[in-house]
Amino acid sequence: MAEQFTWGSSRLALRFEWGEDAPVRVAGIVRGDRATGLHALPLVEVATAASGHRPAADRLAHTRLGELLRHTGHAETRTAAGRVLTIEQAAEGLHATTAIELLDAADGAIRARTTITADTVQVLRSVATWTMGFTRTGGGDHDDDFAAWHRVNGVSDWFGEGRWARTPLRGNDFPRLSTELAGGDHDPRGHWSATSDGTWSTGHHLPVAGVETDGLAFAWQIEHNGAWRWELGEDLRGGYVSLSGPTDTDHSWTRVLHPGESFTTVPAAITAGDDFTGAVAALTAFRRAARRPHPDNAAMPVVFNDYMNTLNGDPTTAKLLPLIAAAANVGAEIFCIDAGWYDDSGDWWPSVGEWRPSTTRFPGGLGEVIDAVRGHGMVPGLWLEPEVIGVNSPMADRLPPEAFLQRHGQRIAEHQRYHLDLRHPAAINHLDGVVDRLVAEFGIGFFKFDYNINPGPGTDRDADSVGDGLLEHNRAHLAWLDGVLDRHPGLVVENCSSGAMRMDFAVLSRLAMQSTSDQQEFTKYPPIAAAAPIALLPEQAASWAYPQPGMNEEEAAFCLVTGLLGRYYVSGHLNEMTDAQRTVVAEAIAAAKTLRTDIAASTPHWPAGLPGWTDPWTALGLTAPGGDLVSVWRRGGPAATELHFPHLAGRDVHVTTVFPAALPEWKTDWDAATGTLTVRSDGAPVGARTLRLTTSK
């Protein structure tokens, strides 16, 4: 006789079941008054050297120990932020504790971790944070239900971040195999998996994804700044998703546990909704509730950065002073001096690491420039790439060899940089000293933390495996960030990584904002900016607005719209613009300031569908307290497009232009019956507008 209980909230509850001959499994979900039975798999999946899979496979799921685990207890505890359900299980030589967190402020999502404690020596090869079936039970062959599901996932590249697609599951990825004809209960062995590569947690696949069918969708995020894996699979009874940190198969990760020792997985969050957009809305609420508290979370001051399509890593006093005056004139609140400020050689890339101001670039000292920033009423900021030491940096010889990631006793070098190992106290002391000195000496209130190399699978120094060394370094990196913010609670820190090669919630739960791309071609930026809120909060998404003096009015407005529904992040040769051009930039910044409160409380949606890389029309919508906001970009193609707002269907809607006010308004037509807004541009084939939709009281 199976035992069961349901735990969660009115928005998302999980039904767990187990028995004397079965492990704890998620057997269903309840949302409001709707209960849905789900294909039930073991909640905990563990592969060790002594106990692998059944059948043999390289999956996270279908492990022998996962099947052998048995329920030994469960309990709920109350925290300041919400509730935590702890489920205890035991099997041959180990105990598994799964902690499931539900935040009061975001009760449509759960966050999970699993801890394995050894009774006998265990060599861990993979431990999934979370495994559950997603196909529905309740009649008929599961094949019919599986065939109705789609995978929704994104991939990235430098200059091409966040390219999302919706793909049917049944097809080439999951054909109908009929493995049951082999005799006995033989599940298929395949899967569709996404993995990270080294420390670029979003360098290709994204740790945020989902599955969707008619009336039900799940979304998830793996909260880790290093190696991870999520997989979709099918067995004879249904489809499942499994989420994990590093594994032996993908990341050369093993961990040896001696009796009494424990290992805890990286956290992951899971949400459900009527569709993928609804599941992302629940994930958005969770991200807000789970972020580190900081004054910047709602203040969102406008940042001017001198790098993108402007100084490009070549700052000098002569170049910066007129830019500082122009940035202040248009309303910027933070001015960040980007790469090169520390370099005397003229080759800033391999010289990073000591972080002492250049004397050749700033004849009167960097302090002269910083004083100018402060004198114009802005907060001074600096670019740092803290985790690396350039091969030409004096710090490469001053720090001990053990302070760097290594393989077989040699420091790992990548693109003329060595990588610090933040498990080592000398590395931490160096970085703490740099940050504390710059804050104390120059009053720096903003740092752009960049990260431009990937050292690969990890380090074999003082670790059970290279993947294990990397995992502990990753965790030490997060602890270092916490320490910086504990010492400097008002400091605003941007996360950057060759654009967005490390754009995960482990880092973004701590830092204020995220550079969404290094994309320098302004017409290619809209799909990046529009898709960004799938992976992070809208108010953290810093998509560059870099108008240039040589642009026409529509092109400049296009650039300025690109960042408007996020954290406003400005660049461009403002000092070389005409007064009229600077007035337009000032208008955009003023608009951004009026939108901050709405953006910080908004929920994203995509009224033109998931942004496509070459789509002629792209749109990002935000549902906010002051009404829906939508940015719309046209890149050629037909003169009109249809945008869908199903949540506004049946209501009268008034459309106004937020920005730009000086250019001709685009024509709009609202169909209340279908919730469709037709937007028409009869002007230039390249243009953009940000609109507000308000409904009648």
Side-chain angles (χ1 to χ4, degrees):
M1 182 72 179
E3 297 188 63
Q4 60 179 282
F5 70 96
T6 299
W7 181 87
S9 71
S10 60
R11 297 185 61 199
L12 176 62
L14 303 174
R15 178 167 60 85
F16 299 95
E17 69 175 29
W18 69 93
E20 292 183 358
D21 60 348
V24 177
R25 301 172 293 175
V26 177
I29 61 167
V30 182
R31 296 184 299 131
D33 58 358
R34 291 173 291 176
T36 305
L38 298 176
H39 171 42
L41 278 84
L43 174 64
V44 175
E45 296 280 12
V46 185
T48 68
S51 184
H53 299 77
R54 186 170 58 193
D58 63 354
R59 295 180 171 193
L60 292 170
H62 297 147
T63 62
R64 179 175 175 273
L65 284 172
E67 285 288 347
L68 293 177
L69 285 166
R70 295 295 179 264
H71 176 272
T72 59
H74 64 274
E76 179 185 275
T77 56
R78 181 77 201 181
T79 68
R83 295 176 287 144
V84 177
L85 172 67
T86 302
I87 299 175
E88 303 281 355
Q89 298 185 81
E92 298 174 346
L94 58 80
H95 288 76
T97 303
T98 301
I100 306 169
E101 181 182 16
L102 186 69
L103 300 178
D104 292 338
D107 61 359
I110 62 102
R111 173 196 264 162
R113 295 177 179 86
T114 292
T115 298
I116 302 298
T117 303
D119 297 327
T120 60
V121 175
Q122 301 287 337
V123 181
L124 303 179
R125 297 183 58 221
S126 68
V127 184
T129 296
W130 183 261
T131 302
M132 66 180 289
F134 59 81
T135 53
R136 298 164 291 191
T137 60
D141 186 344
H142 93 270
D143 181 67
D144 293 335
D145 189 51
F146 188 88
W149 287 81
H150 288 69
R151 179 183 77 243
V152 188
N153 68 291
V155 295
S156 282
D157 198 351
W158 188 41
F159 279 53
E161 293 83 351
R163 306 188 310 277
W164 285 81
R166 180 180 283 103
T167 307
L169 289 187
R170 182 64 79 216
N172 197 49
D173 293 331
F174 290 102
R176 186 72 173 91
L177 296 176
S178 302
T179 56
E180 67 275 10
L181 299 181
D185 191 17
H186 289 287
D187 287 321
R189 297 176 177 179
H191 55 80
W192 195 95
S193 63
T195 63
S196 65
D197 178 13
T199 52
W200 275 350
S201 57
T202 57
H204 181 49
H205 292 291
L206 299 184
V208 181
V211 287
E212 178 182 49
T213 192
D214 184 29
L216 180 61
F218 296 96
W220 54 82
Q221 64 180 22
I222 300 173
E223 301 173 8
H224 185 46
N225 53 329
W228 52 262
R229 168 179 173 144
W230 60 261
E231 75 180 29
L232 299 174
E234 180 187 18
D235 57 33
L236 294 176
R237 292 156 295 282
Y240 72 88
V241 58
S242 192
L243 315 175
S244 174
T247 71
D248 185 17
T249 298
D250 301 299
H251 312 105
S252 300
W253 177 86
T254 55
R255 169 69 71 85
V256 180
L257 296 183
H258 296 280
E261 293 181 340
S262 297
F263 168 77
T264 300
T265 64
V266 304
I270 305 94
T271 69
D274 292 338
D275 54 21
F276 182 68
T277 298
V280 170
L283 205 51
T284 300
F286 170 80
R287 290 168 182 155
R288 278 198 187 106
R291 284 181 78 183
R292 180 188 176 104
H294 193 287
D296 181 84
N297 292 1
M300 298 166 58
V302 174
V303 180
F304 183 93
N305 181 296
D306 67 33
Y307 184 85
M308 186 63 73
N309 293 356
T310 308
L311 299 189
N312 296 312
D314 189 27
T316 65
T317 300
K319 293 177 181 179
L320 284 168
L321 290 180
L323 261 184
I324 290 166
N329 181 257
V330 296
E333 294 159 300
I334 294 172
F335 189 100
C336 181
I337 302 169
D338 208 276
W341 61 267
Y342 49 83
D343 177 65
D344 283 327
S345 69
D347 185 11
W348 62 267
W349 183 268
S351 62
V352 295
E354 190 177 26
W355 307 113
R356 298 283 178 179
S358 169
T359 56
T360 58
R361 293 178 180 276
F362 311 111
L366 179 62
E368 177 187 3
V369 179
I370 297 296
D371 287 345
V373 172
R374 194 176 291 107
H376 280 86
M378 297 182 292
V379 173
L382 286 177
W383 178 93
L384 286 180
E385 194 170 352
E387 296 153 78
V388 302
I389 301 292
V391 296
N392 294 338
S393 170
M395 296 310 299
D397 296 323
R398 291 179 195 164
L399 289 169
E402 296 79 14
F404 296 88
L405 298 181
Q406 300 181 4
R407 297 293 288 274
H408 302 291
Q410 292 191 0
R411 289 185 292 186
I412 297 172
E414 184 70 12
H415 200 170
Q416 296 181 286
R417 274 93 176 272
Y418 301 120
H419 199 296
L420 290 171
D421 185 341
L422 298 189
R423 299 175 301 163
H424 197 279
I428 293 295
N429 291 339
H430 165 62
L431 293 187
D432 283 346
V434 167
V435 171
D436 294 351
R437 169 173 50 82
L438 292 173
V439 170
E441 183 176 350
F442 297 108
I444 298 301
F446 177 92
F447 281 111
K448 175 181 177 179
F449 282 175
D450 209 342
Y451 186 64
N452 290 302
I453 68 166
N454 183 352
T459 177
D460 55 13
R461 187 191 69 81
D462 193 23
D464 289 340
S465 61
V466 291
D468 183 53
L470 185 65
L471 174 60
E472 295 309 307
H473 158 78
N474 297 144
R475 288 173 163 168
H477 172 230
L478 298 178
W480 175 71
L481 292 176
D482 286 334
V484 168
L485 295 172
D486 287 344
R487 294 195 309 279
H488 306 288
L491 189 65
V492 178
V493 181
E494 172 196 347
N495 185 50
C496 183
S497 43
S498 284
M501 299 293 95
R502 187 173 63 187
M503 185 177 66
D504 56 79
F505 191 70
V507 174
L508 288 175
S509 64
R510 293 161 167 85
L511 302 188
M513 54 191 279
Q514 169 73 54
S515 176
T516 61
S517 183
D518 278 352
Q519 177 56 250
Q520 297 181 44
E521 169 52 61
F522 75 95
T523 61
K524 287 184 169 64
Y525 216 130
I528 299 171
I534 304 176
L536 71 160
L537 287 170
E539 60 266 33
Q540 290 182 298
S543 297
W544 291 89
Y546 42 57
Q548 300 297 338
M551 291 180 173
N552 64 39
E553 292 179 317
E554 286 287 359
E555 291 170 339
F558 188 106
C559 287
L560 292 164
V561 165
T562 291
L564 205 52
L565 293 189
R567 178 61 181 266
Y568 215 45
Y569 202 41
V570 184
S571 195
H573 291 282
L574 302 183
N575 56 305
E576 299 176 11
M577 291 181 175
T578 65
D579 289 343
Q581 289 174 319
R582 279 192 293 270
T583 297
V584 175
V585 178
E587 176 197 340
I589 290 176
K593 293 176 180 178
T594 68
L595 296 176
R596 289 188 284 211
T597 299
D598 272 344
I599 292 171
S602 68
T603 301
H605 60 100
W606 294 271
L610 288 176
W613 187 248
T614 59
D615 289 350
W617 287 87
T618 302
L620 167 63
L622 298 180
T623 299
D628 268 64
L629 296 163
V630 60
S631 285
V632 191
W633 297 264
R634 182 190 178 195
R635 301 182 294 173
T641 191
E642 290 186 349
L643 306 180
H644 302 285
F645 299 82
H647 57 289
L648 300 180
R651 307 172 71 179
D652 293 331
V653 166
H654 179 61
V655 182
T656 55
T657 300
V658 175
F659 177 83
L663 293 178
E665 287 193 355
W666 285 0
K667 298 174 183 177
T668 59
D669 181 64
W670 173 250
D671 184 343
T674 62
T676 301
L677 180 69
T678 300
V679 177
R680 184 176 187 86
S681 165
D682 291 322
V686 173
R689 300 291 186 272
T690 297
L691 310 174
R692 185 184 289 276
L693 283 63
T694 54
T695 57
S696 302
K697 299 295 186 182

